[in-house]
């Protein structure tokens, strides 16, 4: 069991293990040469860490809330995969989804405006935590505003400003610091897609 804020993996450490998240949530990040942090993913129950081939971890991972993980030695895990083709197929599918998510994030950071990034994030996030569903159109934000900013390549102030703008336009309701309700999904989707009639501002 990991307490909130506990470090599971440090970038550059030896990588003999693979981890599977049983409950809770984990943020995965890299430290840039200038000391800034770039969060590259938020992981939830069912997700794996450390599947990449290599002698050292290429990222750090930290619990955002209380989390439990299962740890496997890479050699034993690879032997298990060889004996269980269905597991290998499931991991291949998950890896394909992770690659698509990484490509989407590259597009997000390179091309989209701040409001497009935040709108996309609110639409995309619930699908990453399917084992802990929320009520329809509710989004659970287990991460802080700073963590959202580090994931979307924005400042905390910009994330807060965009959320306030979406609230003032009645696109979302801010029920608490950790829960958002999507009021007008079609408009939020249009903002995420950068449709001209909704573009402008942040």
């Amino acid at each position: 069991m990991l307490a909130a804020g506990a470090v599971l993996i440090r970038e550059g450490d030896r990588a003999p293990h693979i981890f599977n998240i049983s409950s809770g949530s984990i943020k995965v990040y890299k430290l840039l040469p200038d000391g800034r942090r770039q969060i590259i993913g938020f992981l939830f129950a069912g997700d794996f860490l450390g599947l990449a081939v290599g002698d050292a971890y290429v990222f750090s991972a930290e619990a955002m809330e209380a989390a439990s993980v299962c740890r496997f030695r890479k050699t034993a895990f690879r032997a298990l995969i060889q004996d269980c083709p269905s597991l290998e197929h499931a991991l291949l599918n998950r890896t394909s989804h992770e690659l698509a998510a990484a490509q989407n994030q590259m597009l997000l950071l390179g091309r989209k405006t701040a409001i497009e990034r935040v709108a996309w994030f609110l639409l995309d996030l619930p699908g990453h935590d399917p084992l802990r569903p929320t009520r329809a159109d509710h989004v659970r934000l287990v991460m802080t505003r700073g963590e959202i900013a580090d994931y979307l390549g924005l400042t905390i102030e910009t994330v807060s400003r965009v959320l306030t703008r979406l609230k003032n336009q009645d696109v979302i309701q801010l029920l608490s610091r950790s829960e958002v309700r999507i009021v007008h999904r079609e408009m939020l989707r249009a903002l995420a897609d950068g449709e001209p009639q909704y573009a402008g501002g942040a």
Side-chain angles (χ1 to χ4, degrees), residues 74-201:
K74 282 186 176 180
T75 50
F77 190 78
R78 287 168 183 158
L80 176 63
I81 289 176
Q82 290 178 349
D83 292 337
C84 186
S86 61
L87 177 59
E88 183 178 19
H89 179 70
L91 288 176
L92 180 61
N93 282 341
R94 183 173 292 274
T95 301
S96 298
H97 288 309
E98 289 174 356
L99 178 59
Q103 291 170 337
N104 284 338
Q105 191 188 16
M106 289 174 63
L107 173 63
L108 188 75
L109 297 180
R111 298 283 182 173
K112 289 186 176 291
T113 65
I115 197 163
E116 289 169 1
R117 297 181 198 190
V118 173
W120 172 89
F121 178 75
L122 293 175
L123 290 166
D124 182 68
L125 182 62
H128 292 274
D129 195 10
L131 299 184
R132 189 171 51 176
T134 60
R135 288 177 290 170
D137 288 323
H138 283 240
V139 182
R140 180 188 295 110
L141 299 177
V142 296
M143 59 290 296
T144 66
R145 299 292 190 266
E147 288 165 343
I148 295 172
D150 286 346
Y151 179 66
L152 297 179
L154 302 170
T155 64
I156 298 175
E157 294 76 15
T158 299
V159 169
S160 296
R161 185 172 69 249
V162 169
L163 289 172
T164 299
R165 174 181 167 182
L166 292 173
K167 176 180 73 73
N168 291 340
Q169 292 178 333
D170 294 323
V171 179
I172 64 171
Q173 283 184 323
L174 300 176
L175 302 178
S176 70
R177 291 287 294 180
S178 60
E179 188 175 10
V180 170
R181 184 171 81 89
I182 299 173
V183 178
H184 292 296
R185 179 170 292 274
E186 296 80 8
M187 186 177 290
L188 191 64
R189 174 65 65 188
L191 287 167
D193 291 341
E195 294 188 10
Q197 64 267 38
Y198 300 107

Side-chain angles (χ1 to χ4, degrees), residues 5-110:
V7 175
L8 176 63
I9 291 172
R10 293 188 189 278
E11 184 176 353
D13 283 355
R14 290 182 59 253
H17 296 109
I18 290 169
F19 302 89
N20 177 241
I21 302 171
S22 301
S23 66
S25 54
I26 303 282
K27 63 184 176 188
V28 179
Y29 61 93
K30 293 182 69 69
L31 293 176
L32 304 179
D34 60 6
R36 289 179 299 159
R37 177 184 65 178
Q38 176 64 56
I39 292 180
I40 56 178
F42 299 114
L43 303 181
F44 301 91
D47 288 328
F48 283 85
L49 278 165
L51 289 172
V53 176
D55 295 328
Y57 295 115
V58 295
F59 51 79
S60 298
E62 180 180 314
M64 294 187 291
E65 58 182 328
S68 59
V69 299
C70 296
R71 186 178 71 178
F72 307 90
R73 283 210 159 266
K74 282 186 176 180
T75 50
F77 190 78
R78 287 168 183 158
L80 176 63
I81 289 176
Q82 290 178 349
D83 292 337
C84 186
S86 61
L87 177 59
E88 183 178 19
H89 179 70
L91 288 176
L92 180 61
N93 282 341
R94 183 173 292 274
T95 301
S96 298
H97 288 309
E98 289 174 356
L99 178 59
Q103 291 170 337
N104 284 338
Q105 191 188 16
M106 289 174 63
L107 173 63
L108 188 75
L109 297 180

